[in-house]
Amino acid sequence: DIENIKKTYGDKIVLDISNMTIKEGKITGITGPNGSGKSTLLNIISYIDDNFSGKVKYNGMDFSKEVAKNITYVLQKPYLLRRSVYDNIVYPLKLRKVDNKSQTKYANDIMKRLEIEDLSNKRGQQLSGGESQKVALARALVFKPKLLLLDEPTSNIDSESVKIMEREIVNFNKETSGTVLIVTHNLEQAQRICDEVISLDLGKVRN
Ligand code: ADP
Ligand code: MG
């Protein structure tokens, strides 16, 4: 739940939202032209950016380490570790102290679902932009977050891979009831996979 969020750079207001509720267990799309504040909104919800006025509540709670553990944010230009794809994908499971056997099972399962098993031994830095986005999505889905934030996850992606990614985003939502917030320029994509679409313009919600 977002209440009276305002974000400014200098004297420019880039985000100004009085009220917004992202429905739990649903897929919500955020659309809007370049510079309308979409990434700024995800930065604030993920608390990567905590320099704003107003309130974000997570099931009634303020942001905390505990809340953060259940959120993942896939940046438009994902940052992968200088390790193998497999190591990148198990990393969030290691952080959460998931046992080794389950780590292997979950990582292999998500690579299979996203059809990236052949990338397993490649290093993060050797991947194309589109491959990196798929690996970043796998790394986000593997620990089944309660809130998944995606910033234009399919912007560099060929149409076959777009289908795979959309399918797995929807599967994730259906199977775990995880809440998804996805920024997309692609209105058809929003209509295909989102339960609700919010449109931003100049930092405000367009009605
Ligand atoms: P979108 O993701 O919708 O394309 P952003 O949220 O990235 O837009 O940006 C919203 C506005 O904030 C834009 O006008 C952008 O130029 C401005 N902006 C973003 N980051 C900064 C920054 N670090 N300093 C100054 N202005 C910024
Ligand atoms: Mg953006």
Side-chain angles (χ1 to χ4, degrees):
D1 282 303
I2 286 170
E3 281 168 43
N4 296 319
I5 293 285
K6 271 207 173 81
K7 169 76 188 178
T8 54
Y9 285 113
D11 53 13
K12 192 176 164 209
I13 298 180
V14 296
L15 203 62
D16 182 1
I17 300 178
S18 54
N19 256 297
M20 180 188 285
T21 299
I22 308 300
K23 286 196 186 124
E24 190 176 5
K26 303 276 183 203
I27 304 181
T28 301
I30 306 282
T31 62
N34 290 329
S36 56
K38 304 180 300 296
S39 297
T40 303
L41 176 63
L42 295 193
N43 292 344
I44 287 173
I45 293 173
S46 63
Y47 257 76
I48 279 183
D49 181 358
D50 62 3
N51 184 15
F52 62 91
S53 70
K55 270 211 168 88
V56 187
K57 292 276 188 182
Y58 308 78
N59 267 341
M61 288 178 286
D62 288 330
F63 188 82
S64 67
K65 269 193 182 160
E66 266 319 296
V67 167
K69 258 192 202 170
N70 293 305
I71 301 178
T72 194
Y73 180 11
V74 180
L75 301 171
Q76 191 175 0
K77 290 212 175 94
Y79 175 77
L80 297 177
L81 303 170
R82 300 185 155 277
R83 303 180 192 174
S84 72
V85 164
Y86 179 85
D87 287 344
N88 271 275
I89 293 172
V90 292
Y91 186 69
L93 299 173
K94 281 195 198 305
L95 279 184
R96 288 167 181 80
K97 310 224 180 323
V98 172
D99 67 82
N100 284 334
K101 218 174 138 189
S102 304
Q103 281 180 26
T104 309
K105 182 178 176 302
Y106 298 158
N108 285 334
D109 179 54
I110 198 66
M111 286 195 292
K112 196 167 175 189
R113 284 173 169 239
L114 282 165
E115 303 181 25
I116 53 171
E117 300 110 303
D118 54 325
L119 300 178
S120 179
N121 296 318
K122 277 205 170 180
R123 303 199 135 256
Q125 277 60 35
Q126 298 170 331
L127 304 179
S128 71
E131 287 170 338
S132 302
Q133 284 185 300
K134 282 207 259 183
V135 171
L137 181 62
R139 183 174 61 182
L141 293 177
V142 75
F143 74 95
K144 302 185 170 63
K146 289 197 177 135
L147 176 59
L148 173 63
L149 307 172
L150 302 169
D151 198 353
E152 302 192 34
T154 61
S155 53
N156 285 310
I157 306 269
D158 62 79
S159 57
E160 192 51 40
S161 296
V162 170
K163 276 191 204 154
I164 295 168
M165 292 175 79
E166 288 181 357
R167 179 187 74 205
E168 292 313 321
I169 292 165
V170 170
N171 280 343
F172 160 75
N173 168 255
K174 290 238 160 26
E175 290 169 17
T176 73
S177 296
T179 306
V180 181
L181 195 54
I182 177 172
V183 169
T184 177
H185 266 118
N186 184 336
L187 287 178
E188 283 151 23
Q189 175 170 66
Q191 280 160 1
R192 273 196 300 273
I193 69 172
C194 297
D195 299 299
E196 193 165 327
V197 179
I198 295 170
S199 180
L200 290 182
D201 195 16
L202 298 169
K204 290 182 189 266
V205 176
R206 213 166 38 184
N207 297 307

